[in-house]
Amino acid sequence: MNLDHRKDKVDTANIINENINSQSSGNNLNIDYVEHPIQNSLKNSNQALHYLYQQAPVGIILNIIAALLVTWFILPTTPDYIYIPWLSFIVLTAFTHTLVIKEFGKQKKSLHVNNQWAVYQTFMVGITALTFSVGYLLFLPLASFFVQVILLLTLAILSIAYLPLLSVFLPSYVIYISTFIFPMIFWIYSMPPEDAYPTAALLATTYCILLVTANYYSKSLLDAFGLAGEVNEKVDNLYNIIEKTKNLNVNLYKDNHEYIRKNEVVSREKQQAEITLQSIGEGVISTDQFGRVVYMNPVAEIYTGWDANDIRGKHLSMVLNLVDESSHMKLPNPIEQCIETNATINSSDNSILIRRDGLEYAIEYSATPIRQENNILTGSVMIFRDVTEKRSMEKNLNWQANHDPLTGLINRREFDTRLNKIISSSNNSDREHVVCYIDLDRFKLVNDSCGHEAGDELLKKISDRLKKIARDTDTVARLGGDEFAVIMYSCNLDKAKLIAEIFREEVFNTKFDWHGKNFSITASIGIVPLNDSTTTLTELKRVADLTCYRAKDAGGNRVEVSEKGKSNFKKHTGELKILEELQKSLEKENFKLFTQQIKPLDDLNDILFYEVLLRMRNTEGELLSASSFLHTAEAYHMLSAIDDWVLKVVMEMIAYGNPLFNKAHMISINLSQQSVLNEKFIKYAIDTFNDYDIPAGNICFEINEPQFYDNMERFKRFVTLMKRQGCKIALDNFNYNPVSINTVKQLNIDYIKLDARQFSKISVEQNHEYKLLESINDINHLIGAQTIMKCIDSDDIVESAFEIGADFVQGFVIDPPQALKNS
């Protein structure tokens, strides 16, 4: 508060005292604020009327909410012709009441006490209460006892809620709650006498309590309005006195005030500058033109360890000890540089300030010269701040961005960055490096049987072993999942093979025990030399991945080497080309669907049974058979995505009226191991059936049974869930051993497919192949499955299949694959 305001207050107080004293002696400034009691009563009534209308919108909202609540409870039992008119009248009443309130709002400035407006308000409240009462008389006989209680509780709540809204005008509240008595009396009348009398007494007591409370509340409000009116009158009188006294002193302190104001401005600016320098979070040190300390704020004292009074007048080099963060080499004094160059000096990204007691802070600073108006250097000022936490956070974030949080190894992103640098340097030197890809063979078994926690522990254990074996100069990385990689710098291929073999043996000898379950883990390792012939990172990674897959495909626990110039490198190139084709086909949905009929041998069986076959169109426009690309798709875990696409297209064709599928009774779709073992595919299949509203009983999933010997429980789960949906299941390449036969019987498998090429010498003369096929067919029928003979290429086999009782035949001689339209 400035001085002129303080003086005004003092003068005002003195003049007020003088005027108060002068009232008793007949002074002209005396203001009579005592009014007649009748006038005060009129003002209080006027305030009560305004208060009544001020609270009215709240009552309207309460009525509508209560009406909606009542309607919600009576909906199940009350006919429309009863509650709809009632609810409509409630809304109409609320609308009319709103118009009354709005009209009052227009006239309230010119409106004095008018009992007619109180009558309007009371009438609208009474109409509302009467509507509720009439409605309850209609609703209560139709409602259950529980609903009756809820409805009556609603009336009770409204009675209490309206207490502060209406009690300022007591007749209005009395009319409101009195109207509610009728449905309550009706409800009590319907009770047994032993319950009715206590309830009636309770109702009467509650009614009286509400009236007493309303009366008390009304008196309190009116008293409050009276007191507020008196206070307002006295305040108005006081303001009149103040205004008169201000007019008397308007020019009394004018000159003095202007002088004081100017002094206060200067003092305030100086004080503000000092407060700012004392309170800012940055350290501030100012020096003269010779680098001697002139000023140092408290923050600078904390970070330098020096007291400002002790260091004032001494050279800044005594205070500021700056070193490089990585080398701890002393850095130039920024104030000296600033004075020498007469220019601003900013800090580098690795500046460390060593405090007087040896404590270190990472800082950022700026040293700026101070010049007079004639551009003469008079000193410098250095501002710095502590960025230790920020720099630590940046380092931590940088580490997290480049490392795997589980194993602490570098991640794929950092691995690719380092690999790119090596490729660039290898093109300009004759040094040879080696990239080693490592894929754990049985990691999925640990994850599936013991959970991800066990899998994480195994990964950490393997990563520790790899770090210990790798040379200090090598880079070990976790690429994701159970895949690791090692960059062996300046390493020839023979030496890399030896190190890789040590890796393999170390993983093989690692025994992993988890809560009593023991696991033997092996690794498939692919080695790719990196020299001046390496072109791109993408090519190198694909060759390394394929080489690692070759080791896994050969049974695992082995090391495979990819050497340029050997014939298998061409094979890798071909696989890479197929992989690119697959990726493009998935993106552009460039696959083609064919169908082949599975024909029943029994003439009485008129089922139309088709199998969906997949082909892929390459960039040259040629159609590739599934056998030419499915192996690569499996290696790169793309089969599940392909199965998703096939299922979706088939469902669309069925839903949108493909002619062939409209006639078909059964459609067989081949599924890969990756889809069957994937929980997401199970949910996707079920959702697809529901989305397209396709009966699952028309779909048969064909599965290659030998792929699931190591995952039999998950295989059973898939079959069980699909059978539960109504799907049929066909098994291909079924293994006829007691365990498999028993499993198929338990799962209620529908079809078993036999390859006719395995029985090429069968004949009706019933040789040993004939007898074998007949026995297999009998086993199929015994366990509840029908036999499908596939790959039939001669009529002789068809005749023999008919003789032994096979159910279906399939092959080129029966029906060649036909391309599906719109696929």
Side-chain angles (χ1 to χ4, degrees), residues 609 723 728-732 734 736 740-741 743-754 774-788 805-808:
F609 196 167
K723 294 285 289 183
K728 308 296 183 185
I729 302 295
L731 293 184
D732 199 2
F734 181 60
Y736 288 90
S740 297
I741 292 173
T743 299
V744 168
K745 185 176 181 181
Q746 291 175 355
L747 295 176
N748 192 22
I749 299 298
D750 300 283
Y751 307 102
I752 294 179
K753 301 188 78 170
L754 303 178
E774 185 177 30
S775 300
I776 292 174
N777 183 65
D778 291 341
I779 293 174
N780 292 345
H781 290 172
L782 184 64
I783 60 180
Q786 293 182 292
T787 304
I788 300 175
D807 302 285
F808 296 90

Short mmCIF file of all heavy atoms in Angstrom, two decimals, residues 609 723 728-732 734 736 740-741 743-754 774-788 805-808:
data_model
loop_
_atom_site.label_atom_id
_atom_site.label_comp_id
_atom_site.label_asym_id
_atom_site.label_seq_id
_atom_site.Cartn_x
_atom_site.Cartn_y
_atom_site.Cartn_z
N PHE A 609 -18.50 -80.38 -50.50
CA PHE A 609 -17.37 -80.18 -49.59
C PHE A 609 -16.20 -79.65 -50.42
O PHE A 609 -15.79 -80.26 -51.39
CB PHE A 609 -17.03 -81.53 -48.95
CG PHE A 609 -16.15 -81.44 -47.73
CD1 PHE A 609 -15.99 -82.55 -46.91
CD2 PHE A 609 -15.48 -80.29 -47.38
CE1 PHE A 609 -15.20 -82.51 -45.78
CE2 PHE A 609 -14.69 -80.23 -46.26
CZ PHE A 609 -14.54 -81.34 -45.45
N LYS A 723 -14.52 -76.59 -31.65
CA LYS A 723 -15.65 -77.53 -31.66
C LYS A 723 -16.83 -76.95 -30.88
O LYS A 723 -17.99 -77.17 -31.25
CB LYS A 723 -15.22 -78.86 -31.04
CG LYS A 723 -14.17 -79.63 -31.85
CD LYS A 723 -14.77 -80.30 -33.08
CE LYS A 723 -15.64 -81.46 -32.71
NZ LYS A 723 -16.17 -82.15 -33.94
N LYS A 728 -15.90 -77.88 -37.67
CA LYS A 728 -15.38 -79.23 -37.88
C LYS A 728 -13.86 -79.17 -37.89
O LYS A 728 -13.26 -78.15 -38.24
CB LYS A 728 -15.89 -79.80 -39.20
CG LYS A 728 -17.41 -79.74 -39.37
CD LYS A 728 -18.13 -80.58 -38.35
CE LYS A 728 -19.64 -80.55 -38.59
NZ LYS A 728 -20.39 -81.26 -37.54
N ILE A 729 -13.22 -80.30 -37.54
CA ILE A 729 -11.76 -80.38 -37.51
C ILE A 729 -11.31 -81.57 -38.35
O ILE A 729 -11.84 -82.68 -38.20
CB ILE A 729 -11.24 -80.55 -36.06
CG1 ILE A 729 -11.70 -79.38 -35.19
CG2 ILE A 729 -9.72 -80.65 -36.06
CD1 ILE A 729 -11.15 -78.04 -35.58
N ALA A 730 -10.35 -81.30 -39.23
CA ALA A 730 -9.73 -82.36 -40.04
C ALA A 730 -8.25 -82.42 -39.73
O ALA A 730 -7.60 -81.38 -39.61
CB ALA A 730 -9.96 -82.09 -41.54
N LEU A 731 -7.73 -83.65 -39.58
CA LEU A 731 -6.31 -83.83 -39.30
C LEU A 731 -5.62 -84.42 -40.51
O LEU A 731 -6.10 -85.40 -41.12
CB LEU A 731 -6.11 -84.77 -38.09
CG LEU A 731 -6.57 -84.26 -36.73
CD1 LEU A 731 -6.20 -85.27 -35.65
CD2 LEU A 731 -5.98 -82.91 -36.42
N ASP A 732 -4.49 -83.84 -40.86
CA ASP A 732 -3.68 -84.34 -41.96
C ASP A 732 -2.42 -84.97 -41.38
O ASP A 732 -1.93 -84.57 -40.32
CB ASP A 732 -3.33 -83.19 -42.90
CG ASP A 732 -2.91 -83.70 -44.28
OD1 ASP A 732 -2.93 -84.92 -44.48
OD2 ASP A 732 -2.57 -82.86 -45.13
N PHE A 734 -1.90 -87.85 -39.98
CA PHE A 734 -2.18 -88.34 -38.63
C PHE A 734 -1.23 -89.49 -38.29
O PHE A 734 -0.96 -90.37 -39.09
CB PHE A 734 -3.63 -88.80 -38.55
CG PHE A 734 -4.03 -89.31 -37.20
CD1 PHE A 734 -3.95 -88.49 -36.09
CD2 PHE A 734 -4.48 -90.61 -37.05
CE1 PHE A 734 -4.33 -88.97 -34.85
CE2 PHE A 734 -4.86 -91.08 -35.82
CZ PHE A 734 -4.78 -90.25 -34.70
N TYR A 736 -0.66 -92.75 -36.30
CA TYR A 736 -1.49 -93.81 -35.71
C TYR A 736 -0.74 -94.52 -34.60
O TYR A 736 -0.24 -95.64 -34.75
CB TYR A 736 -1.95 -94.80 -36.79
CG TYR A 736 -3.00 -94.22 -37.71
CD1 TYR A 736 -2.64 -93.55 -38.86
CD2 TYR A 736 -4.34 -94.31 -37.39
CE1 TYR A 736 -3.60 -93.01 -39.70
CE2 TYR A 736 -5.31 -93.77 -38.22
CZ TYR A 736 -4.93 -93.12 -39.37
OH TYR A 736 -5.89 -92.58 -40.18
N SER A 740 -2.09 -90.90 -29.80
CA SER A 740 -2.76 -90.02 -30.76
C SER A 740 -4.18 -90.49 -31.03
O SER A 740 -5.11 -89.68 -31.13
CB SER A 740 -1.96 -89.96 -32.06
OG SER A 740 -0.69 -89.40 -31.84
N ILE A 741 -4.36 -91.79 -31.14
CA ILE A 741 -5.70 -92.33 -31.41
C ILE A 741 -6.64 -91.99 -30.26
O ILE A 741 -7.78 -91.57 -30.46
CB ILE A 741 -5.62 -93.85 -31.64
CG1 ILE A 741 -4.88 -94.13 -32.97
CG2 ILE A 741 -7.01 -94.47 -31.66
CD1 ILE A 741 -4.61 -95.59 -33.20
N THR A 743 -6.33 -89.51 -28.17
CA THR A 743 -6.56 -88.06 -28.17
C THR A 743 -7.61 -87.66 -29.18
O THR A 743 -8.51 -86.86 -28.89
CB THR A 743 -5.24 -87.33 -28.47
OG1 THR A 743 -4.28 -87.64 -27.46
CG2 THR A 743 -5.46 -85.82 -28.49
N VAL A 744 -7.53 -88.24 -30.38
CA VAL A 744 -8.50 -87.92 -31.43
C VAL A 744 -9.90 -88.36 -31.02
O VAL A 744 -10.90 -87.66 -31.25
CB VAL A 744 -8.09 -88.61 -32.75
CG1 VAL A 744 -9.22 -88.54 -33.76
CG2 VAL A 744 -6.85 -87.95 -33.31
N LYS A 745 -9.99 -89.48 -30.37
CA LYS A 745 -11.30 -89.97 -29.92
C LYS A 745 -11.88 -89.02 -28.86
O LYS A 745 -13.08 -88.71 -28.89
CB LYS A 745 -11.14 -91.38 -29.35
CG LYS A 745 -12.48 -92.02 -28.97
CD LYS A 745 -12.29 -93.45 -28.51
CE LYS A 745 -13.64 -94.08 -28.16
NZ LYS A 745 -13.47 -95.48 -27.67
N GLN A 746 -11.03 -88.56 -27.93
CA GLN A 746 -11.50 -87.65 -26.89
C GLN A 746 -11.95 -86.31 -27.48
O GLN A 746 -12.93 -85.73 -27.03
CB GLN A 746 -10.40 -87.40 -25.85
CG GLN A 746 -10.09 -88.62 -25.00
CD GLN A 746 -8.92 -88.34 -24.08
OE1 GLN A 746 -8.29 -87.29 -24.15
NE2 GLN A 746 -8.61 -89.30 -23.20
N LEU A 747 -11.23 -85.84 -28.49
CA LEU A 747 -11.52 -84.53 -29.07
C LEU A 747 -12.64 -84.58 -30.10
O LEU A 747 -13.04 -83.53 -30.62
CB LEU A 747 -10.26 -83.94 -29.71
CG LEU A 747 -9.11 -83.61 -28.75
CD1 LEU A 747 -7.89 -83.13 -29.52
CD2 LEU A 747 -9.54 -82.54 -27.74
N ASN A 748 -13.10 -85.79 -30.45
CA ASN A 748 -14.19 -85.93 -31.41
C ASN A 748 -13.83 -85.28 -32.76
O ASN A 748 -14.57 -84.47 -33.30
CB ASN A 748 -15.47 -85.31 -30.85
CG ASN A 748 -16.71 -85.70 -31.66
OD1 ASN A 748 -16.71 -86.71 -32.38
ND2 ASN A 748 -17.74 -84.88 -31.57
N ILE A 749 -12.66 -85.68 -33.30
CA ILE A 749 -12.21 -85.17 -34.59
C ILE A 749 -13.14 -85.67 -35.69
O ILE A 749 -13.60 -86.82 -35.67
CB ILE A 749 -10.76 -85.62 -34.87
CG1 ILE A 749 -9.83 -85.06 -33.79
CG2 ILE A 749 -10.31 -85.17 -36.25
CD1 ILE A 749 -9.75 -83.56 -33.74
N ASP A 750 -13.43 -84.81 -36.68
CA ASP A 750 -14.43 -85.13 -37.70
C ASP A 750 -13.84 -85.87 -38.90
O ASP A 750 -14.47 -86.80 -39.42
CB ASP A 750 -15.09 -83.83 -38.17
CG ASP A 750 -15.76 -83.10 -37.02
OD1 ASP A 750 -16.86 -83.51 -36.62
OD2 ASP A 750 -15.17 -82.13 -36.52
N TYR A 751 -12.66 -85.43 -39.37
CA TYR A 751 -12.09 -86.03 -40.58
C TYR A 751 -10.61 -86.30 -40.38
O TYR A 751 -9.91 -85.54 -39.69
CB TYR A 751 -12.25 -85.09 -41.79
CG TYR A 751 -13.67 -84.61 -42.02
CD1 TYR A 751 -14.07 -83.34 -41.64
CD2 TYR A 751 -14.60 -85.46 -42.63
CE1 TYR A 751 -15.36 -82.90 -41.85
CE2 TYR A 751 -15.91 -85.01 -42.86
CZ TYR A 751 -16.28 -83.74 -42.45
OH TYR A 751 -17.56 -83.32 -42.66
N ILE A 752 -10.12 -87.39 -40.99
CA ILE A 752 -8.69 -87.69 -41.05
C ILE A 752 -8.33 -87.88 -42.52
O ILE A 752 -8.95 -88.67 -43.23
CB ILE A 752 -8.34 -88.94 -40.23
CG1 ILE A 752 -8.61 -88.68 -38.74
CG2 ILE A 752 -6.89 -89.34 -40.44
CD1 ILE A 752 -8.32 -89.87 -37.85
N LYS A 753 -7.30 -87.13 -42.97
CA LYS A 753 -6.91 -87.17 -44.38
C LYS A 753 -5.73 -88.11 -44.56
O LYS A 753 -4.76 -88.07 -43.78
CB LYS A 753 -6.56 -85.76 -44.87
CG LYS A 753 -7.71 -84.77 -44.73
CD LYS A 753 -7.40 -83.45 -45.39
CE LYS A 753 -7.57 -83.53 -46.89
NZ LYS A 753 -7.51 -82.22 -47.56
N LEU A 754 -5.80 -88.94 -45.60
CA LEU A 754 -4.73 -89.87 -45.94
C LEU A 754 -4.19 -89.51 -47.31
O LEU A 754 -4.97 -89.19 -48.23
CB LEU A 754 -5.24 -91.31 -45.94
CG LEU A 754 -5.88 -91.81 -44.63
CD1 LEU A 754 -6.39 -93.23 -44.82
CD2 LEU A 754 -4.88 -91.75 -43.50
N GLU A 774 -7.30 -100.45 -45.45
CA GLU A 774 -8.58 -100.88 -44.90
C GLU A 774 -8.56 -100.82 -43.37
O GLU A 774 -9.51 -100.37 -42.73
CB GLU A 774 -8.89 -102.30 -45.37
CG GLU A 774 -10.27 -102.80 -44.95
CD GLU A 774 -10.56 -104.20 -45.51
OE1 GLU A 774 -9.60 -104.99 -45.68
OE2 GLU A 774 -11.74 -104.49 -45.75
N SER A 775 -7.44 -101.23 -42.79
CA SER A 775 -7.32 -101.20 -41.32
C SER A 775 -7.32 -99.76 -40.80
O SER A 775 -7.96 -99.45 -39.78
CB SER A 775 -6.02 -101.90 -40.89
OG SER A 775 -6.02 -103.25 -41.30
N ILE A 776 -6.60 -98.90 -41.51
CA ILE A 776 -6.56 -97.49 -41.09
C ILE A 776 -7.95 -96.88 -41.17
O ILE A 776 -8.37 -96.14 -40.27
CB ILE A 776 -5.55 -96.71 -41.96
CG1 ILE A 776 -4.12 -97.18 -41.67
CG2 ILE A 776 -5.68 -95.21 -41.72
CD1 ILE A 776 -3.09 -96.57 -42.58
N ASN A 777 -8.67 -97.19 -42.22
CA ASN A 777 -10.03 -96.65 -42.37
C ASN A 777 -10.94 -97.17 -41.26
O ASN A 777 -11.77 -96.41 -40.72
CB ASN A 777 -10.57 -97.04 -43.74
CG ASN A 777 -11.96 -96.46 -43.99
OD1 ASN A 777 -12.13 -95.25 -44.06
ND2 ASN A 777 -12.96 -97.32 -44.10
N ASP A 778 -10.76 -98.46 -40.89
CA ASP A 778 -11.58 -99.01 -39.80
C ASP A 778 -11.26 -98.30 -38.48
O ASP A 778 -12.17 -98.03 -37.68
CB ASP A 778 -11.31 -100.51 -39.66
CG ASP A 778 -11.87 -101.31 -40.84
OD1 ASP A 778 -12.75 -100.77 -41.54
OD2 ASP A 778 -11.42 -102.44 -41.07
N ILE A 779 -9.99 -98.00 -38.26
CA ILE A 779 -9.61 -97.27 -37.03
C ILE A 779 -10.26 -95.89 -37.02
O ILE A 779 -10.78 -95.43 -35.99
CB ILE A 779 -8.09 -97.16 -36.92
CG1 ILE A 779 -7.47 -98.54 -36.69
CG2 ILE A 779 -7.69 -96.22 -35.78
CD1 ILE A 779 -5.95 -98.55 -36.72
N ASN A 780 -10.22 -95.22 -38.17
CA ASN A 780 -10.84 -93.88 -38.26
C ASN A 780 -12.31 -93.94 -37.87
O ASN A 780 -12.80 -93.11 -37.10
CB ASN A 780 -10.68 -93.32 -39.66
CG ASN A 780 -9.24 -92.99 -40.00
OD1 ASN A 780 -8.39 -92.94 -39.11
ND2 ASN A 780 -8.96 -92.78 -41.27
N HIS A 781 -13.01 -94.90 -38.45
CA HIS A 781 -14.44 -95.02 -38.15
C HIS A 781 -14.67 -95.43 -36.71
O HIS A 781 -15.65 -94.98 -36.07
CB HIS A 781 -15.07 -96.04 -39.09
CG HIS A 781 -15.15 -95.56 -40.51
ND1 HIS A 781 -15.53 -96.37 -41.57
CD2 HIS A 781 -14.89 -94.35 -41.07
CE1 HIS A 781 -15.50 -95.68 -42.69
NE2 HIS A 781 -15.11 -94.42 -42.40
N LEU A 782 -13.77 -96.23 -36.16
CA LEU A 782 -13.91 -96.68 -34.78
C LEU A 782 -13.82 -95.50 -33.80
O LEU A 782 -14.53 -95.47 -32.79
CB LEU A 782 -12.84 -97.73 -34.46
CG LEU A 782 -12.92 -98.38 -33.07
CD1 LEU A 782 -14.20 -99.19 -32.94
CD2 LEU A 782 -11.70 -99.28 -32.84
N ILE A 783 -12.96 -94.53 -34.12
CA ILE A 783 -12.80 -93.38 -33.21
C ILE A 783 -13.70 -92.21 -33.61
O ILE A 783 -13.57 -91.11 -33.09
CB ILE A 783 -11.33 -92.91 -33.17
CG1 ILE A 783 -10.85 -92.48 -34.55
CG2 ILE A 783 -10.44 -93.98 -32.61
CD1 ILE A 783 -9.41 -92.00 -34.58
N GLY A 784 -14.62 -92.45 -34.56
CA GLY A 784 -15.63 -91.45 -34.88
C GLY A 784 -15.24 -90.47 -35.96
O GLY A 784 -15.89 -89.42 -36.08
N ALA A 785 -14.18 -90.74 -36.73
CA ALA A 785 -13.75 -89.82 -37.77
C ALA A 785 -13.99 -90.42 -39.14
O ALA A 785 -13.93 -91.65 -39.32
CB ALA A 785 -12.27 -89.48 -37.61
N GLN A 786 -14.26 -89.55 -40.13
CA GLN A 786 -14.43 -90.00 -41.51
C GLN A 786 -13.10 -89.86 -42.25
O GLN A 786 -12.27 -89.00 -41.93
CB GLN A 786 -15.50 -89.16 -42.21
CG GLN A 786 -16.90 -89.40 -41.63
CD GLN A 786 -17.96 -88.60 -42.36
OE1 GLN A 786 -17.98 -87.38 -42.27
NE2 GLN A 786 -18.84 -89.29 -43.07
N THR A 787 -12.91 -90.72 -43.27
CA THR A 787 -11.65 -90.78 -44.00
C THR A 787 -11.76 -90.01 -45.30
O THR A 787 -12.72 -90.17 -46.05
CB THR A 787 -11.27 -92.23 -44.29
OG1 THR A 787 -11.21 -92.97 -43.06
CG2 THR A 787 -9.92 -92.32 -44.99
N ILE A 788 -10.74 -89.13 -45.53
CA ILE A 788 -10.63 -88.41 -46.80
C ILE A 788 -9.34 -88.85 -47.46
O ILE A 788 -8.25 -88.68 -46.91
CB ILE A 788 -10.61 -86.89 -46.57
CG1 ILE A 788 -11.89 -86.42 -45.89
CG2 ILE A 788 -10.42 -86.15 -47.90
CD1 ILE A 788 -11.88 -84.94 -45.53
N GLY A 805 -14.34 -98.70 -48.02
CA GLY A 805 -15.30 -97.93 -47.24
C GLY A 805 -14.85 -96.53 -46.88
O GLY A 805 -15.37 -95.94 -45.92
N ALA A 806 -13.87 -95.97 -47.60
CA ALA A 806 -13.48 -94.58 -47.34
C ALA A 806 -14.66 -93.65 -47.63
O ALA A 806 -15.56 -94.00 -48.41
CB ALA A 806 -12.27 -94.20 -48.19
N ASP A 807 -14.66 -92.48 -47.02
CA ASP A 807 -15.82 -91.59 -47.10
C ASP A 807 -15.71 -90.55 -48.21
O ASP A 807 -16.70 -90.25 -48.87
CB ASP A 807 -15.99 -90.88 -45.75
CG ASP A 807 -16.18 -91.87 -44.61
OD1 ASP A 807 -17.26 -92.44 -44.50
OD2 ASP A 807 -15.21 -92.07 -43.85
N PHE A 808 -14.49 -89.99 -48.40
CA PHE A 808 -14.33 -88.90 -49.37
C PHE A 808 -13.04 -89.12 -50.15
O PHE A 808 -12.08 -89.75 -49.65
CB PHE A 808 -14.25 -87.53 -48.68
CG PHE A 808 -15.50 -87.13 -47.95
CD1 PHE A 808 -15.68 -87.46 -46.61
CD2 PHE A 808 -16.51 -86.42 -48.59
CE1 PHE A 808 -16.80 -87.08 -45.93
CE2 PHE A 808 -17.65 -86.04 -47.90
CZ PHE A 808 -17.81 -86.37 -46.57
#
